[in-house]
Structure formats: C-alpha cells, structure tokens
Amino acid sequence: MTQHANADQMLLKMPSLRAVKCFVAAARHQSFTRAAETLCVTQAAISRQIRELEEHLGTPLFERTGRSVKLTPAGSIFFDAAQLSFINLAQAATRIRKDYGSNARRTLTLCCTPAFSALWMSRRLPSFFDGNPDIDLDLITTQNFLAMEPGIYPDVFITKIARVRDGYVTRPLFHDRIYPVCTPGYLETHPEAGSLEGIRDGTLLNLSPYGRSQIAEHVDWSVWLAIHHLDIEDRPGTGSHYFNINDYSLLIQMVLNNQGVALGWDHLVAPLIEEGRLLRPVEQEMVLEETRHYLAYREDKEDDDALIRFRDWFLAQEGI
C-alpha cells in the first residue's frame, strides 16, 4: 500500500503535461512565438503555460531577452529530462500504433552475428519481405549473445549457443562445414594454392578469435591444417603474409579482392561459390559434428502469426 501511495504522490507532484510540452517547444526554438506556431496555439497560451510551470517548480526556466529566450541553468536541467521523456513517449506511441493500431504492421526483432547478417540474411531477406509485406524486421548483430544491452529482448536468435536464454524454444540447425576458399583469379596466379602445402605456405587470411569467447570452438588456420596433418609452424619464415582479423565479412571481402586464401564456412560462402566468385582450391574440409547452429524464438510468442511465418520461411531456406 505504501508503494502505491508514493506513486500517487509522485503523480500529484508532476507538472502539467501541457505545460511541459509548451516548455520543450519554446526551449527547442528559443522563442515563444515559434513554439506557438509549432503547437498551433497563441503566444499568450505558451507564456501562460510556462509561467504556471515556473510557479510549480519555484524557479525561472528562461531568461527573457527581447523576442528571444534562453534557458536558465534550472531550465537546461529540466529540458534534458523533459525531452528524453517525450522521446520515450513518442517511441512507445509509434510502436503501439504500429503493432496494435487498426492498420498495424507486425515487427519482429532478430539477433544474429554480423557475418550471418551480411553474408546470409542480406541475400535472402528480400524473399521474406516479398512474401510478408505486413511484417517489419529489426535486426541486431552481436558476437556477445549472453551480455546484450539491458532491455533487448529479441523475438528470434540465430546462434551457436544451444540455450541462449530462458524462455526460448530452440531448434537445432546445421553443423559447420569449413574449407579453404579463394577466387578463380587468385588460383590462376597462384597455382600452388591447389595443394594443402601450397595453401599453408601462401598468403593466409585468418579469422581471429578476438571477441569470439562465447563460441564453443574456434577454427583458425592452425586448427584446420592440423586436422589435415600439416603444421602451420612449417610455413617459410619469409615471403607470404599471415593476416589476422576478427571481422569475417571483411575477411571474405579481402578474399574477393584476390588478397589470399581464407577458411570458408559453407552456409556463408556457398552462394558465392555457386555464382563463381569463389571456389574451393582443394577438396578437403572439416565438419564440426559436435556443435550446431540454432534457431531460438520466444516461448511466449510460439503461436504468434508473424513469428510462425518467419520461422517457417527461415527453416525452408536451402542449406538450413
């Protein structure tokens, strides 16, 4: 009961929302006249509302200098808080109109890695939008699924973590298949890349483990070559570069620019191979049988039409 009483007292002590609205408009434009034009009221109405607000707060909020006004220190403090509150209210109202209004469009929030977004999602989402014109998507990319910003509660995760959060239904997807990739042009000018030893001794573009601590395994060139009985330490001491980067999308772009050979994750590079932009210079590959990718979606939205349509579309995609 005490908590409700305190909340009620807080509401009673709040200034008039109309007065605060007039104050924010005047502060933005530094003019009562411009504020009146913006809100379609008279200048006298603006002056009256701000005077009442100043009386309520017990201090001037503006310094009047001719036709213009300037915020006092107290006014600046109140403006920052008031403007943020109005932004939050406007965003909430927009979301409610979109999701619950008479012409509501549904919005789903998806979360996946930057590489999956750039190399998988970007190619396929047009087909989803074509088939679902009434659904909007908010896409969040991260490598840190377990420590996201507060208030982020995605409808769907696409991740390599089997149990990303409580309250989600998890569907297992595919195992990783990993193999070397380069461009046809690179192989033509570096025919030695057609053998495992030639790949090891050539220019290697490597995915760094930095920022990937939540991934159950990390496969780089040293691991991949060791699986195929080659030691990366046997590379010549001089000559070809070994380039490290933790941005897989940029790594693939460097491959496409004929800058070396990288490890390709099949679900990300297969379309580029089908288009002939990349190729597999050797047939050897590595399949991670112990780990999978997962589709996780909110349990409380399991019967939600928009989520069902996205889930069914996603699971129907080739390679999933």
Side-chain angles (χ1 to χ4, degrees):
M1 292 299 293
T2 303
Q3 184 177 0
H4 291 297
N6 289 339
D8 291 342
Q9 287 297 315
M10 181 184 68
L11 290 174
L12 290 172
K13 292 178 180 178
M14 287 286 292
S16 159
L17 187 60
R18 180 181 298 175
V20 176
K21 191 175 182 180
C22 292
F23 163 77
V24 169
R28 282 179 179 169
H29 295 292
Q30 296 186 346
S31 166
F32 286 7
T33 301
R34 292 285 307 280
E37 293 171 354
T38 299
L39 299 179
C40 299
V41 297
T42 64
Q43 182 179 343
I46 297 289
S47 298
R48 183 173 63 256
Q49 291 293 334
I50 290 175
R51 185 168 59 251
E52 291 179 2
L53 182 60
E54 290 176 326
E55 290 174 356
H56 179 87
L57 296 174
T59 187
L61 299 175
F62 291 102
E63 294 177 7
R64 279 75 167 175
T65 55
R67 293 186 176 181
S68 64
V69 293
K70 184 173 70 171
L71 287 170
T72 63
S76 295
I77 294 171
F78 193 72
F79 175 68
D80 289 341
Q83 181 168 238
L84 181 60
S85 297
F86 276 122
I87 290 172
N88 289 335
L89 286 170
Q91 290 176 341
T94 299
R95 184 67 180 269
I96 290 169
R97 283 196 300 269
K98 183 192 296 185
D99 291 348
Y100 301 100
S102 56
N103 296 315
R105 294 175 59 84
R106 303 304 312 278
T107 299
L108 291 176
T109 301
L110 315 180
C111 184
C112 63
T113 65
F116 195 86
S117 170
L119 297 171
W120 196 97
M121 281 285 188
S122 64
R123 289 175 165 271
R124 294 169 173 84
L125 280 180
S127 73
F128 176 79
F129 290 131
D130 288 345
N132 300 275
D134 58 325
I135 300 177
D136 292 332
L137 298 178
D138 290 342
L139 184 58
I140 299 170
T141 64
T142 184
Q143 295 282 15
N144 196 353
F145 291 94
L146 300 180
M148 299 177 66
E149 293 183 17
I152 302 298
Y153 194 37
D155 299 302
V156 177
F157 283 99
I158 302 160
T159 175
K160 294 186 73 173
I161 301 173
R163 189 174 179 82
V164 65
R165 285 188 186 180
D166 292 335
Y168 282 78
V169 177
T170 300
R171 295 278 293 269
L173 302 174
F174 51 88
H175 300 291
D176 275 321
R177 290 175 55 216
I178 307 168
Y179 44 75
V181 291
C182 65
T183 62
Y186 184 86
L187 184 59
E188 183 178 349
T189 56
H190 299 82
E192 66 278 6
S195 70
L196 289 180
E197 291 80 3
I199 289 175
R200 179 198 62 193
D201 297 342
T203 301
L204 295 180
L205 307 177
N206 187 61
L207 182 61
S208 162
Y210 183 81
R212 296 169 56 82
S213 60
Q214 294 181 13
I215 304 300
E217 83 300 318
H218 178 75
V219 177
D220 59 13
W221 273 115
S222 63
V223 172
W224 194 91
L225 289 169
I227 291 294
H228 295 92
H229 313 295
L230 291 176
D231 190 341
I232 200 167
E233 297 300 325
D234 291 337
R235 278 170 57 85
T238 59
S240 301
H241 292 288
Y242 186 91
F243 180 79
N244 266 304
I245 187 171
N246 70 337
D247 184 335
Y248 191 69
S249 299
L250 181 56
L251 192 74
I252 293 301
Q253 188 58 55
M254 293 178 69
V255 178
L256 291 169
N257 290 338
N258 299 307
Q259 296 181 47
V261 183
L263 289 171
W265 271 252
D266 181 71
H267 67 286
L268 299 179
V269 301
L272 295 170
I273 293 174
E274 292 171 7
E275 294 169 1
R277 300 175 65 191
L278 294 180
L279 56 74
R280 298 177 60 171
V282 295
E283 64 180 12
Q284 287 85 351
E285 64 180 28
M286 177 180 181
V287 180
L288 302 180
E289 299 284 0
E290 301 301 318
T291 62
R292 287 181 177 270
H293 291 254
Y294 297 90
L295 174 70
Y297 50 89
R298 285 173 51 172
E299 191 172 15
D300 62 345
K301 283 194 170 184
E302 192 169 8
D303 297 325
D304 179 83
D305 176 66
L307 194 148
I308 289 171
R309 281 192 274 161
F310 176 83
R311 181 196 64 198
D312 292 349
W313 168 85
F314 181 85
L315 294 175
Q317 298 305 298
E318 184 178 356
I320 294 296

